[in-house]
Every structure is written in C-alpha cells, then in structure tokens.
Amino acid sequence: MIRVAAPAWIAFAVLVATTHAASAQNAGEVAVPRVTVTGSRIQTETEAEAALVVVTREELNRAGADSLGAILQTLPHNTGAPANTNVNNSGDGSVRIGLRGLGPQRTLVLLNGRRLPNSGVGADSSVDLNSIPLSMVERVEVLTMGRSAVYGAEAIGGVVNVITRSAFTGIETGAQLSRSDRGDGDIARAQALVGGELTAGNWMLGADYVHQRGVSMADRAYSAQPITFASTDGERVPAGSPAIANGRFIIGPENALGLDPGRYTRVPGGSGRSAEDWRPVRADDVFNYAPYNLLQTPNERGSLWLAGTLSPREGVELFGEGLLSRRESAQRLAPAPYMLPLNAAPELPDGTRYIPASNYYNPFGTDVFVGTRRLAELDERGYSEHVTLWRALVGARGRIGEWNWEGTVSTAQSSAVTRESGLPIAERFVAGLGPSGPDSTGKIVCGTPDAATGIVPQAAVIAGCVPINLFGGAGTITPDQLAYMTSALRDHGTNAQRIATLQFEGPWGRLPTGPIDWAFGTELRRESGAYRYDPQREGGAVGEGLVADIPGGSFKAWEGYAEMRAPMIREDSKLGQLDAALGARLSDFDVFGTRTTWHAGLHWASSASWSMHVDYSSVFRAPAIDELYQSQVVTASLSPPDPCGDSPTPEQQRHCAANGVPGGRYTQIEDDVSLMHQGGNTALGPEQGYSFAAGIAFRSTGRLAWHASADYFHTRLDDFIEQGDPEAIANECANHGTPLACAKMERFPDGSLRLIDIRRSNLGRVTVQGADFAGSVDLPTRAGRFSVQALVSALGRYDAQVFEGSETLPKAGRGNGGLILPKWRALGGATWTRDGWSARYTLQWIGSYTDCSTTLDNTLYCDAVPSVTYHDVEASYSWPALQVHAGISNLTDREPPYLNAIGNTSPATYRLLGRLYFFRIGYSPGR
C-alpha cells in the first residue's frame, strides 16, 4: 500500500508552486475539436485521461532551459538517475528519460505519434532527447503508464510524445546565455525559425545551436576530494583510488630487499634498490582523481529541421519531416590505473598473471602477483563523441467518408566516432612487463636475459617492445615507454531505422448509446546498430579491462493493431458519459517470434466537474540490439564476496556443497580473482508484464478555474533483461540454492570461484507501484492573472527479484549505485502575467531516501540522504516583436547532498553547479 499521510503536506504545499503541469480546459470554454491524444489512436472530443501530463511550449521556454532533455528530466515521474550531460564517468554526452525508474529503454519516445530512432554513440537502446531541437517542439505529452497495445514494444514505464510546431508563419529568432555565480558552466543557445505558406501548404525551416562548457570537480568544494565512510559509525573521511603514482605492491617472503611480507609503496627520491626505499602502505596512500573529472561535460550540438505540408487536391494532404542533428561532446578521467592481476601481464601455465623477477625494473628479486600503479605520466584519459543523426519522413493523409487514413515511410541513420586518448593498450603490457634487461649496447630491451651474463641475447630481443617500469615511482615512466603503451583510438558506431505505417480511424457500427469509433493500423520496422572498437583495443585497455563491442546486428518486426472506443452510456444521460476502450496488437519479431498485447479501459465523465478512468494494458519489450549482439568475452575481475568462503551458515553450507564446494565451505582470500563471462545473448526473449492505472480528476465550473487529479499506477514486468550481478548470483546460490543462479557459477576443486556467467539474461521480476497528483489554479484579477500548477509523484513500491521466485528486494526510497529511487518527487510553480510582464517562481523537490554503500573497512553502511528543494525565479517582458527574459536558477545556491559515489553525489539526479543566472532575448516581427 502507498502511504501518503506522512509527507502529504508536500502534496498540498507544492500546489502553490510547476513549470510543467497537466493542461486543463475550463468547462465554460469552446468545445475541444476532435484530436488524437497520446494514449490512443482514436480521435476524441473528450479531455485526455488523467494519466497524461502535458508540457506546453510556454513551459518549455521557462527557467532558462537549453534542451528538451533537461526539461523532461525535471518531471517527478522521471526517476532512477538516467544519463545526462552532468554524467562524466560512464557518460557519453546523451540525455535520456526513464519513467518510473524502469530505465530509458522502457520509455518509448515518439515524434508526432511515430517512433524515433534510438540515438547516441551506436547500438543504443533509447532516444537521446538532445537530438530533438527545442525550436521544433510545440508541446510534449507524457503518458505515465504502459501502452504496448497502442504503440508496441518499449511502451512500459510510459510514453513521451513530442508534438512539433505546425502552420507557423513569419520569423522567430532567439539567443540565451546561462552562467553560474562562480563565473563558469556557460551554456549558450541560439535558434532561428522561418515559416510561411508555399505551394498550397505551410513549410517551416528551423535551426538550433547549443554550446556547453565543462566544469571540473575541483571547482566545487563538495566534489574536490573523494569522501567515503570509514565504518558503520557514519564518519566521513577523505578517500581516493588505491592506484597511486608511487605504486602499491604485495611483497612475498624471501625477497631481495629483506622486507617482511606485506603491501608496500615506493618512497619518493630513493633508488628503489634498498629496503629503505620502500615503506608499508598507509590508509592515506590514495590518489585524488577529482581534479581530472568533470561536474559538467563539454557538449556542442547543432540541428536543422524542416517540416511542411502540401495539398495537391481537396481531401488529401502530403506532409514531410526532416531532421539533421550533430553533436560533439567529451568526458575526462584521471590517468589510467594499472592493476595486477586484473590487467594484462605475463601468465604462468595455470593462467595466473604476474610480473616476473626477471623484469629489469622489478627490485624485489621475486615474482609480484598483486599490485597497482597510477600511470600519472600519461596525464588524463580523454573521450570525445562526434555524432551525426538524420531522419526523413514523408506521408500522406486524407479522408474517405467519415474515415481518416494516413500512410508514412521514414528512414533514419546515425553515425558516431568516439575518440579516446591516454588509454594504454593492455596487450602491450604482456611483453612490456615480462623478462627484460640490457642488450649488448646497454639499452634496456624486452627479452629473457642470459642467466650468466644478465644480458639479453640479440636473438631473444622482442622487436618493437619497450620494457615498462612500474616500480620506479612517480615520474619514472619514460617518454619511450609512454609512446609504446598508448595509441590514439577511434571507435565507430551506428544506428539505423526504417519504418512504413498505414492506419485508418473512424466510426463503424453503432450501439443504442452512440457510434463506435475504431482505429486499425499496421507497421513494418527494421532496426539495426553497431559499436565497433578500434582493433587496437581487441585485448582491452588498462584502466578499463576487457570490454565487449557490438559488431552489428538487426531485427525486423511486423505489427498490426486494432483499437475500439464505444459509448456505454448516452452522452446526454444524467449519469454522464461512459466510454469503454479495447485494443489489441499482434507483434511478430524475427528474433523471438510473436507476442500479443491488449488494452482495456473505462473513462467516465459523470459531469463537467469530474471524471474517472481505469486502464489495464499488457506490455512487453523486445531485446535491444546491444542486448542481443554484444560480443561475448571472458575477463578477469575481483571475486565478489562469496558466502561459501566466509563462515557460511549450516543452510548455506548445504547449498554450497551442492554447488561444488567440498564440505560446503572454503577460505576466500583477499584480492581473489575470478573470470566473468559477459556480453549479449541471441537467445533472449522479450520482457512481458502488465500496467494498471486508475485516476480521478476534478475541475471548476466557475470564475476561479482550477483542476486537480490523482492517479494510481501499478506495473509488473517479468523476464527482466539485465546483466547479472556477480555478488547477487553468489548470494542467491548460497542462500537459497536457486538452480539458475548456481548454474551460472564454476568453481575450482577447492571450492573457490573460477567463473561466473553474467551474460544478459531474462532473469527476475520488477514491480512498481505508486500515485501521482496534479493540480492547477488560474485566477484573473485586476492586478493581473495568477496561476499555480503542481505535479507530485509518490513511489510506494519498487520491488525487484533477481531470479524468479527469489527473495524480493524493496528498492523504493533507496539508492544503490546508479539507481536512485526517492519515494517522493514534486515540481510546482506560480506565475503572474500582466500587460506584457510575466514573473515566475518554480519549486523542484526531490525527496529523501536511504543510500547503502561499502565502507573502508568493507562493511555495508546505509546513510539517510536528505530531501533537496530547488527554488527558481524569473521574469520577462514582451514588446510586439521583442521579448526579454532573465532569471536565477537554484536561488538559494543549494549544494547536492552527499552520496558515497564518484563526485560525492548523484550527477544525474541533482544540480551540481550551484546558483545560475540566465538571460534570453527573442525577436519575432509581426508576433
């Protein structure tokens, strides 16, 4: 059950405060024409169901927003921390939306009711919202429930339908600049639009340009130094990476320096050839990577778009849409860390990686099996993306009798080049860390030295190899070594989409209560994509390990649907109007076969003052290109904590013994390494489940125009596709003996972990449940018009099962890793307008939650993350042709709350730069 009593005051208080709120028509206004509203293919004169949020063009132009993605991510229905341009580590310059925390791949994004291509660096599974220029958008309709029967796969968490401008005549230009009060974080935006009547139709041509500058984590006090929890007492202490420039190495007994066994680091300035040149590692021997990382990433993008209509004869209209978008973005990371035994190195016959005693630079006279070294001489790692996307659509629509028809053909293609610098090529460390020594001229070369002379014979020299010095301390890796271990890298990615659609809509048949409306349609679709690594990365890169590319793949789908809306009670009845909706879709995918989805709903408008709706939809999602076709690789990784290797309970011992652990227990050693089998899976089936929603809406009929609605939502998704979590697999097998989990693990004869299969699979179940509230008030007075709007979303339940039938993990109100799920989020605002003047106050509220992470002493600690409220103010004045707009975002300069994560917070959830100022000027002659 959802509990709303405790913070219910927020739902009321925020009613005085949104830039984005459900649109409401006054009962006394002119009747609404028949239109197609997101959630159905059938045109209707009734208002949209309460589960629909409408973001108007006026609201899109508020708050100094520079992109569609930035605006939509403020909606309280967007949760789970989907990517944006604040995300540096693992970011790629894109902005996504994920309704209900189910991930961007489970939110369908449409343009004028039609699918957009997945976009980004290649083989992407969702739409980059920043590929849609703001000047193109008239409004955005967000359906906050699943509707696969109407729109097909991916419409699970909800549907985002971007409606473009139409029939624009004239010229419109504008420019905007925003900057933090620290004088950084500049974002400049310019746009232009021209439109007019041409050849019996209307045509529009628009252009957008955005330039965003990067900001370092070192430029804000809260992120300048990594911070972590020391233990479960909650004390926060400075932290960093254990990979430091002077190295950290575990030294065994009988070493040449006579050191006691343990973990040592190099003393600066020493030769490294005596025991005094090495000291035991201390807790403060960490590397501060923050000055290299970014709070806001550089992002430059430009778009051209074209839209128009042509009427060759009465009753038929031809139309077209064109979009060309280009993006250049970048991220930055600290110099690469080399980590043994995870990264490439010479191997013993049993596969164990090590640096041999015969390596010239190894001062210990014994093999080294565990160690780290920050390759600080390389400077930072840099990533940049150059993405080009184009889409073209042509179509025709018309009317035959009472029926409307429409047919379209669209094609889209994106290509991307990702450039990477500062990444050492892993395979070069195999020879570079192997045996080495001087040749006959005294030059240090790769090769096994002669046992008697210590000189590498010419026949043993490995051509092209340069010995790598990991033991010399900071600054001792030479330019020759750096040039050998690194190379400029270029990866290439693509996305492609081809779609043909045909649909009909109109009345057919009649009940005593009125005519029955229908929609029929069919769609043919082909999706393809690839992300191909530079061949030099075939063996992986130091600092990233062995990662899998997507050599290419595609799927084809044919779908047919039918939808019906029938009046169950006559419109003039005292009981009001009751409509029933039924829909079904047959989907045939060449990668897994056919699926049928259906939808049923009731909409009851009992009077002009209130209405209710109930909807049930079956939903599904087809596996994405990357999930199907990503290359399968086996790579070394630190072993997850294994209950079988750490004092298992009697029940765990039984399950561990059945899984191949002798006696049901073993001793797991620190820094133990096992193999991970990861990648795509062409045997994947679709995710499938259902979405249920019920809501009620009230509205005024008098001079004071107000609107309020409440919606309940419940979504369950089975056969959830995700990459396996090694720790969750080990726990599930040991705790419950789940056959699917145990089958994913291979063990050595002593019971220790050898390999875990974490390839993408159809695993468990996710259940999401909650409620949404919306309200608006509009009051005209002699002092001007006042309006207040609000949206509130309460996440009552987010339950995940890693495997079907396994333990349910409640995640609502929790954060862990990249999934941030506060139970409450809200967005509200109040606006005053009069005689060309406008003023606005906006409030965004992100509720509190509990975040759990691992402390320095390797225990789990859960910390309470406080709620955050952002206050924005703005004002504007409009002349007949000129508009001036200025404002302040994050008026109180609120810092993001602390999380035990990179950057000490969640960059995809919070505002990172503090107080921002913005100024915009627009020019529209004849406006």
Side-chain angles (χ1 to χ4, degrees), residues 669-702:
I669 62 174
E670 186 181 5
D671 298 316
D672 193 16
V673 173
S674 54
L675 300 176
M676 301 294 158
H677 186 184
Q678 62 188 37
N681 184 356
T682 56
L684 288 173
E687 301 174 341
Q688 48 198 346
Y690 66 84
S691 178
F692 174 79
I696 186 169
F698 301 88
R699 63 180 61 256
S700 70
T701 57

Side-chain angles (χ1 to χ4, degrees), residues 68 195 208 225 298 322 340 365 429 477 592 699 889 898:
L68 181 62
D208 268 36
Q225 169 72 51
L340 184 72
F429 282 69
I477 297 179
F592 61 78
R699 63 180 61 256
S889 175
Y898 171 77

Side-chain angles (χ1 to χ4, degrees), residues 34 40-43 402-404 503-511 515-521 561-566 582-584:
R34 289 184 66 88
S40 174
R41 301 284 188 181
I42 297 174
Q43 293 188 1
E402 295 183 290
W403 282 76
N404 299 306
Q503 62 185 47
F504 300 88
E505 184 272 334
W508 180 30
R510 187 178 183 87
L511 295 174
I516 303 174
D517 292 322
W518 294 84
F520 300 96
Y561 66 86
E563 185 183 359
M564 180 264 290
R565 184 187 294 268
L582 289 173

Side-chain angles (χ1 to χ4, degrees), residues 390-402:
W390 63 266
R391 175 182 181 264
L393 178 144
V394 294
R397 54 185 165 229
R399 192 171 179 85
I400 303 175
E402 295 183 290

Side-chain angles (χ1 to χ4, degrees), residues 176-260:
Q176 176 180 295
L177 176 66
S178 67
R179 176 177 295 174
S180 81
D181 65 356
R182 278 80 161 176
D184 58 11
D186 291 15
I187 303 178
R189 175 177 174 244
Q191 69 175 64
L193 173 63
V194 59
E197 303 298 323
L198 181 65
T199 61
N202 179 269
W203 291 86
M204 297 173 291
L205 177 64
D208 268 36
Y209 174 78
V210 178
H211 185 271
Q212 172 177 299
R213 296 184 182 275
V215 178
S216 170
M217 285 186 183
D219 293 333
R220 296 295 184 273
Y222 73 84
S223 59
Q225 169 72 51
I227 298 172
T228 190
F229 293 112
S231 63
T232 54
D233 63 6
E235 180 188 4
R236 299 177 191 173
V237 295
S241 168
I244 58 178
N246 282 317
R248 298 162 62 120
F249 303 96
I250 292 182
I251 309 305
E254 301 180 3
N255 59 81
L257 304 183
L259 296 169
D260 293 333

Side-chain angles (χ1 to χ4, degrees), residues 833-909:
T833 56
R834 180 180 179 182
D835 299 332
W837 285 97
S838 176
R840 173 78 178 177
Y841 163 74
T842 301
L843 175 149
Q844 183 188 7
W845 182 65
I846 302 171
S848 62
Y849 55 94
T850 300
D851 184 70
C852 297
S853 59
T854 303
T855 66
L856 282 179
D857 61 4
N858 205 33
T859 57
L860 187 67
Y861 176 67
C862 294
D863 184 42
V865 180
S867 63
V868 174
T869 303
Y870 296 112
H871 306 273
D872 306 330
V873 294
E874 57 193 292
S876 66
Y877 184 76
S878 298
W879 289 271
L882 187 68
Q883 306 88 45
V884 177
H885 194 171
I888 305 173
S889 175
N890 193 6
L891 181 67
T892 59
D893 198 25
R894 180 71 158 87
E895 282 190 353
Y898 171 77
L899 275 79
N900 192 4
I902 293 177
N904 300 326
T905 192
S906 171
T909 303

